[in-house]
């Protein structure tokens, strides 16, 4: 019963908060909408605890730097954004333009200062939209949340980490805070939550700007994947198993490893 009850609460809260935001889309400034969305993420955390039976634990807050920085997080579930967002003040995030297809969401994204990437216009438009968003975030002193894998990763697997996060850090001249999580044990990808327990998000040691790209990407991947594997083992009681690299799924599709295609994944 928990899963359908939570799905009902999820959609009711989402619609309610969008409607509450509407009068403020034409309001000067962005503070009201940002406050409403932060309240929304806190309400979702409460629904996770009371309905889905998923408690939240945050570790490593003391590692967060002062001023602007980038958060590079493991992305196992729709739920990890709800866990991270209310923990960091003045947070923007990077998202694809697919969210703008939902009614009214485009206006909310603008008020939130989201960096919306043009995913349909080719490499030049994608780079341009990212550069423009970074410049605005830097001017405003924002913190930026990005998922460097670019896809929701099944527990036990990971995608190649994309170098856009390195370009962002270099352009903004700010550190990158890796984030590990085990939320996927309880709430897998886009499915409803299926398991009760304690979901952990952990802010790891910041990576300074100025590192060569290959060194930075290797350090980021190792930090996030190693600690996420430990958190998954902690949640399941199983031995620590490092995630397997798999190829990116086609746009709009989830990765669903099966016995029939594990061989192909192993070659990635």
């Amino acid at each position: 019963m928990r899963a359908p009850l939570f799905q009902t609460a999820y959609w009711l809260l989402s619609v309610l908060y969008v409607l509450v935001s509407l009068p403020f889309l034409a309001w000067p400034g962005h503070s009201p909408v940002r406050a409403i969305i932060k309240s929304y993420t806190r309400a979702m955390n409460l629904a996770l605890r009371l309905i889905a039976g998923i408690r939240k634990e945050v570790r490593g807050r003391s590692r967060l730097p002062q001023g602007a920085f980038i958060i590079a997080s493991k992305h196992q579930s729709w739920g990890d954004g709800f866990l991270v967002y209310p923990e960091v003040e003045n947070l923007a995030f990077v998202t694809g333009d697919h969210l703008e297809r939902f009614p009214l969401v485009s206006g909310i994204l603008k008020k939130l200062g989201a960096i919306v990437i043009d995913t349909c216009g080719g490499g030049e438009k994608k780079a341009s939209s990212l550069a423009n968003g970074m410049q605005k975030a830097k001017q405003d002193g924002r913190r930026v949340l990005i998922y460097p894998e670019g896809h929701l990763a099944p527990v036990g697997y990971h995608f190649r980490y994309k170098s856009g996060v390195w370009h962002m850090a270099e352009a903004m001249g700010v550190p990158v805070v890796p984030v590990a999580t085990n939320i996927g044990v309880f709430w897998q990808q886009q499915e409803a939550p299926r398991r009760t327990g304690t979901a952990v998000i952990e802010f790891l040691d910041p990576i300074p700007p100025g590192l060569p790209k290959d060194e930075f990407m290797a350090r980021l991947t190792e930090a996030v994947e190693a600690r996420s594997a430990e958190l998954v083992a902690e949640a399941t009681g199983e031995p620590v198993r490092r995630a397997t690299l798999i190829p990116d799924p086609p746009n709009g599709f989830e990765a669903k490893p099966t016995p029939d295609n594990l061989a192909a994944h192993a070659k990635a």
Side-chain angles (χ1 to χ4, degrees):
M1 279 297 293
R2 287 181 181 271
L5 284 175
F6 178 80
Q7 286 296 87
T8 301
Y10 174 91
W11 288 110
L12 286 176
L13 286 170
S14 299
V15 171
L16 172 64
Y17 275 90
V18 167
L19 293 177
V20 171
S21 300
L22 289 184
F24 299 98
L25 296 184
W27 196 276
H30 53 248
S31 296
V33 172
R34 291 182 183 175
I36 290 167
I37 297 305
K38 178 159 281 191
S39 175
Y40 166 59
T41 59
R42 287 172 174 157
M44 289 299 301
N45 277 263
L46 185 62
L48 275 170
R49 178 164 59 88
L50 296 181
I51 302 174
I54 301 174
R55 295 176 298 280
K56 170 182 172 180
E57 181 180 347
V58 182
R59 302 175 185 174
R61 283 193 186 94
S62 62
R63 298 186 177 111
L64 294 176
Q66 298 297 313
F69 55 86
I70 295 169
I71 293 176
S73 178
K74 183 67 180 174
H75 197 21
Q76 295 177 337
S77 163
W78 276 2
D80 47 41
F82 294 118
L83 300 185
V84 172
Y85 192 87
E87 301 302 324
V88 182
E89 294 297 324
N90 199 23
L91 183 64
F93 55 90
V94 177
T95 182
D97 54 6
H98 62 284
L99 287 180
E100 293 189 320
R101 296 196 298 264
F102 294 95
L104 310 174
V105 170
S106 178
I108 294 175
L109 292 176
K110 289 177 182 177
K111 287 290 186 179
L112 291 175
I115 300 174
V116 181
I117 306 300
D118 185 336
T119 57
C120 300
E124 290 186 4
K125 286 190 176 181
K126 183 182 291 187
S128 176
S129 58
L130 180 59
N132 292 338
M134 286 191 302
Q135 184 61 32
K136 185 67 168 60
K138 184 176 181 180
Q139 290 172 355
D140 295 344
R142 307 291 305 279
R143 288 82 180 266
V144 180
L145 169 64
I146 187 171
Y147 297 110
E149 291 174 275
H151 304 279
L152 288 164
V155 172
Y157 298 89
H158 76 93
F159 301 106
R160 180 181 61 83
Y161 281 51
K162 313 304 186 290
S163 61
V165 62
W166 177 81
H167 290 286
M168 289 180 65
E170 292 301 298
M172 296 176 68
V174 297
V176 173
V177 178
V179 177
T181 187
N182 60 9
I183 181 65
V185 172
F186 311 99
W187 184 351
Q188 177 70 54
Q189 295 179 284
Q190 298 181 49
E191 299 173 356
R194 299 292 183 185
R195 179 173 176 172
T196 62
T198 300
V200 178
I201 56 168
E202 184 168 351
F203 299 107
L204 307 176
D205 290 328
I207 302 175
L211 296 178
K213 181 170 68 174
D214 289 348
E215 179 182 346
F216 172 91
M217 296 306 301
R219 184 166 166 181
L220 174 63
T221 303
E222 174 63 22
V224 175
E225 291 303 323
R227 187 56 183 150
S228 292
E230 292 171 352
L231 294 178
V232 167
E234 179 182 316
T236 61
E238 299 175 357
V240 176
R241 296 187 180 91
R242 290 298 298 269
T244 300
L245 176 66
I246 57 176
D248 287 1
N251 286 337
F253 289 85
E254 288 184 351
K256 292 289 187 182
T258 67
D260 293 334
N261 61 22
L262 280 176
H265 291 154
K267 295 177 182 178

